[in-house]
């Protein structure tokens, strides 16, 4: 029998009360160490939700420090070439609330930022976001409402950074997955060429 949780009270009774430090650790302003973390992070996840409540999580990655600190309460994340679906960007236009998780490879803790986002198509600091000649056509500017560090337990349980736990060949290649799941018009050979060694040359164009 499936037993569903349907109230905040039931959830709290089941999980128990958080320790005081967990309730008071979030802040609305960047600390110097937060700036250090952002300067060292090459990867983040951006969670958004549309006006109808539908959700999206999009990975963003670039050289460390790609998330630019504009001031103590504002950061900006550059756009890079992708599949042009723009699911998260469209969500931001309808609902500005976003959640970010910044990772540093090898670290088991993470930096979390929640706030309100807007899309900017140009600004003087866009030139400082250039990578390999690519100047972003837009950036996500996030006004910070809540920032805090998240503990290491999920990474320790998953052994995410431990190479001996990795199984990259547990599933077929990217090209084979696309051919089997999405059934595109391209042949498997064409997809394998596209996602082969030359793919690296396409990530900024």
């Amino acid at each position: 029998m499936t037993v569903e949780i349907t109230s905040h009270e039931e959830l709290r009774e089941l999980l128990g009360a958080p320790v005081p430090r967990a309730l008071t650790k979030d802040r609305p302003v960047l600390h110097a160490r937060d700036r250090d973390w952002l300067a060292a992070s090459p990867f983040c996840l951006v969670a958004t939700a549309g006006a109808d409540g539908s959700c999206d999580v999009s990975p963003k990655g670039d050289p460390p420090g790609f998330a630019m600190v504009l001031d103590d309460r504002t950061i900006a994340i550059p756009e890079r070439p992708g599949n042009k679906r723009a699911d998260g960007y469209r969500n931001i236009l309808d609902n500005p609330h976003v959640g970010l998780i910044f990772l540093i490879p090898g670290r088991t803790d993470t930096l979390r930022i929640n706030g309100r986002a807007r899309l900017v198509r140009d600004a003087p600091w866009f030139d400082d976001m250039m990578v390999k000649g690519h100047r972003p056509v837009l950036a996500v500017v996030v006004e910070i409402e809540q920032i805090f560090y998240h503990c290491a337990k999920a990474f320790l349980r998953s052994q995410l950074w431990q190479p001996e736990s990795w199984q990259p060949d547990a599933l077929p290649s990217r090209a084979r997955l696309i051919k089997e799941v999405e059934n595109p018009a391209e042949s498997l050979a064409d997809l394998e060429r596209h996602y082969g060694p030359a793919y690296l040359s396409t990530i900024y164009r």
Side-chain angles (χ1 to χ4, degrees):
M1 181 178 66
T2 299
V3 181
E4 186 176 345
I5 297 169
T6 58
S7 70
H8 292 274
E9 293 77 16
E10 186 182 1
L11 176 64
R12 182 52 61 207
E13 181 181 357
L14 180 66
L15 296 181
V19 298
R21 184 167 57 81
L23 288 173
T24 60
K25 67 179 180 178
D26 57 290
R27 301 162 274 110
V29 177
L30 289 167
H31 185 280
R33 288 303 186 193
D34 303 332
R35 290 172 174 260
D36 292 342
W37 189 285
L38 292 172
S41 175
F43 183 86
C44 79
L45 298 168
V46 181
T48 60
D52 62 355
S54 59
C55 296
D56 179 76
V57 178
S58 180
K60 304 295 181 185
D62 242 341
F66 73 101
M68 178 177 290
V69 175
L70 301 181
D71 59 47
D72 285 344
R73 300 190 69 149
T74 314
I75 64 171
I77 299 171
E79 173 277 342
R80 299 300 180 198
N83 59 19
K84 298 181 173 60
R85 283 181 56 112
D87 297 310
Y89 296 152
R90 289 186 288 106
N91 282 348
I92 288 170
L93 291 175
D94 294 335
N95 175 5
H97 297 282
V98 298
L100 315 176
I101 296 182
F102 286 91
L103 283 70
I104 296 177
R107 294 276 310 210
T108 52
D109 47 349
T110 57
L111 180 67
R112 292 176 57 174
I113 295 177
N114 298 319
R116 298 173 70 89
R118 52 195 171 91
L119 304 182
V120 175
R121 64 182 300 166
D122 203 359
W125 36 266
F126 269 43
D127 289 339
D128 297 326
M129 288 183 158
M130 289 186 64
V131 175
K132 295 186 177 181
H134 181 267
R135 188 178 191 270
V137 298
L138 68 84
V140 179
V141 175
V142 179
E143 297 174 5
I144 297 169
E145 295 177 336
Q146 187 181 48
I147 181 169
F148 58 94
Y149 290 98
H150 196 97
C151 75
K153 290 180 180 177
F155 286 79
L156 295 174
R157 293 178 186 129
S158 66
Q159 300 183 326
L160 186 67
W161 302 125
Q162 296 183 28
E164 62 272 19
S165 75
W166 297 349
Q167 299 182 56
D169 298 324
L171 289 169
S173 68
R174 168 76 170 153
R176 288 185 177 276
L177 279 176
I178 289 176
K179 190 62 179 174
E180 292 177 19
V181 175
E182 301 174 12
N183 193 28
E186 295 94 331
S187 69
L188 176 59
D190 287 340
L191 291 170
E192 287 177 334
R193 278 192 293 272
H194 177 75
Y195 290 107
Y199 187 67
L200 188 62
S201 67
T202 70
I203 59 176
Y204 286 101
R205 60 177 176 83

